[in-house]
Amino acid sequence: LVIAYLSINHHFYGEFIPSSSSAKIAQGRSGFWGQWPRAFLLGILLPEPWRPSFITIAISFVAGSFVFRRLRGTPWNTIALPTALILLAFYVLLNLPDYHWYYAPLILVLMLSGVATLTTTRWGTCLIAGIVMMQFFQACRMVRYDPAAPSAYAAAAQWLNIHTAPDATVESLEIGEFGWVLNRYLYDSLGLTLPKNANHIAHRDFSSWLEEDKPDYVLYHSLRPFPFEDVIVQDPNYEPSGYNRDGIIIYRRTRDFGRRGAPLLPVR
């Protein structure tokens, strides 16, 4: 399995370990998301929209604690639970940041363990039904949005597609949806796709990325800026481009830096 995993990585990414994985490890080394071993463990305090889910997790943990005895000798105890514990140890020992999707397999094992225990009684079955209904309504509350309306990242990317030259370069520390919509060359200041920036993060160097990459445009979070973005407003070679919406400001490079610039086109 290990050989297959590494071989597939090398075939598709050109590296045995994708730079996105090594970047997460570098983020853990930086201690910015919390000194070891707090970075991953702090994520147990789920974000505000997920608070009702914490009740589900707590109940599942209590109920699931009895599953060891009930399922002794079964594949659940010999495969599923050890796999979850190994995964948890991997996250904690490497001090990985508390990205909430990392908790999905762990929560799944907890909930399935709870179901295996609670459904043996009538009261337990009623409790499970109540949890399912609570989670259903919570999910409905979380997805109340207009799918046709672009997010802040998509809107910023669309603006750049219209108002910048085709050869312009852009840098951001959020590259998911923003990069999907953006039709320009995109640098990643956190290093998920740019390993040398991940190395900077590991050494708590939050400013070299801008000097080295020299992007034409940079995305800046104006409402809750990350420490990695302080260098943008401090650098005299960058100025606001005129885009300031939904907590995002796009800065533009004002100097050539020895290469052909990508000028800002008139706003339409």
Side-chain angles (χ1 to χ4, degrees):
L1 288 176
V2 172
I3 293 175
Y5 169 74
L6 296 177
S7 299
I8 292 173
N9 282 344
H10 192 273
H11 174 74
F12 282 103
Y13 304 114
E15 299 287 345
F16 288 110
I17 299 180
S19 59
S20 57
S21 299
S22 57
K24 299 296 184 183
I25 297 174
Q27 291 175 9
R29 287 177 54 196
S30 75
F32 173 73
W33 285 263
Q35 293 298 325
W36 187 88
R38 294 185 293 113
F40 185 78
L41 296 178
L42 285 177
I44 295 176
L45 303 175
L46 298 176
E48 185 63 33
W50 289 13
R51 287 296 160 78
S53 301
F54 188 78
I55 301 174
T56 303
I57 297 170
I59 295 174
S60 300
F61 181 80
V62 174
S65 62
F66 296 98
V67 83
F68 294 98
R69 184 177 59 184
R70 292 184 54 82
L71 300 180
R72 182 180 302 166
T74 66
W76 187 260
N77 269 13
T78 57
I79 299 176
L81 291 179
T83 300
L85 292 175
I86 291 172
L87 186 62
L88 177 62
F90 174 80
Y91 289 146
V92 174
L93 292 177
L94 291 177
N95 201 41
L96 296 190
D98 55 342
Y99 295 100
H100 48 264
W101 52 88
Y102 287 176
Y103 298 90
L106 304 177
I107 293 174
L108 177 64
V109 169
L110 268 182
M111 295 182 70
L112 292 178
S113 299
V115 168
T117 303
L118 291 173
T119 52
T120 57
T121 66
R122 179 176 298 178
W123 285 106
T125 302
C126 292
L127 180 59
I128 288 293
I131 289 175
V132 170
M133 292 300 297
M134 180 182 69
Q135 291 297 111
F136 173 77
F137 288 113
Q138 173 67 2
C140 291
R141 187 177 73 87
M142 291 181 64
V143 298
R144 288 186 307 172
Y145 69 96
D146 180 7
S151 71
Y153 289 124
Q158 291 170 356
W159 186 88
L160 284 164
N161 289 339
I162 295 173
H163 298 106
T164 65
D167 64 341
T169 58
V170 183
E171 186 143 4
S172 173
L173 55 77
E174 296 282 5
I175 62 170
E177 184 181 11
F178 180 65
W180 178 261
V181 178
L182 184 68
N183 190 25
R184 299 291 183 269
Y185 190 90
L186 179 62
Y187 292 109
D188 175 20
S189 54
L190 286 187
L192 294 183
T193 60
L194 203 58
K196 62 97 176 173
N197 282 346
N199 186 59
H200 290 322
I201 297 300
H203 293 89
R204 299 186 65 83
D205 178 356
F206 301 154
S207 60
S208 292
W209 62 270
L210 187 64
E211 179 183 356
E212 293 175 354
D213 300 337
K214 298 180 176 62
D216 297 314
Y217 299 88
V218 188
L219 187 146
Y220 175 79
H221 296 84
S222 58
L223 296 181
R224 298 183 61 183
F226 295 81
F228 314 97
E229 297 178 307
D230 292 341
V231 64
I232 303 172
V233 296
Q234 297 169 358
D235 194 317
N237 301 309
Y238 286 86
E239 65 180 11
S241 66
Y243 184 93
N244 186 350
R245 304 174 194 168
D246 303 318
I248 290 178
I249 298 177
I250 295 177
Y251 278 74
R252 61 170 293 188
R253 183 169 53 83
T254 59
R255 291 183 54 196
D256 195 332
F257 290 115
R259 61 181 292 271
R260 179 177 177 270
L264 182 70
L265 300 180
V267 177
R268 299 176 183 175

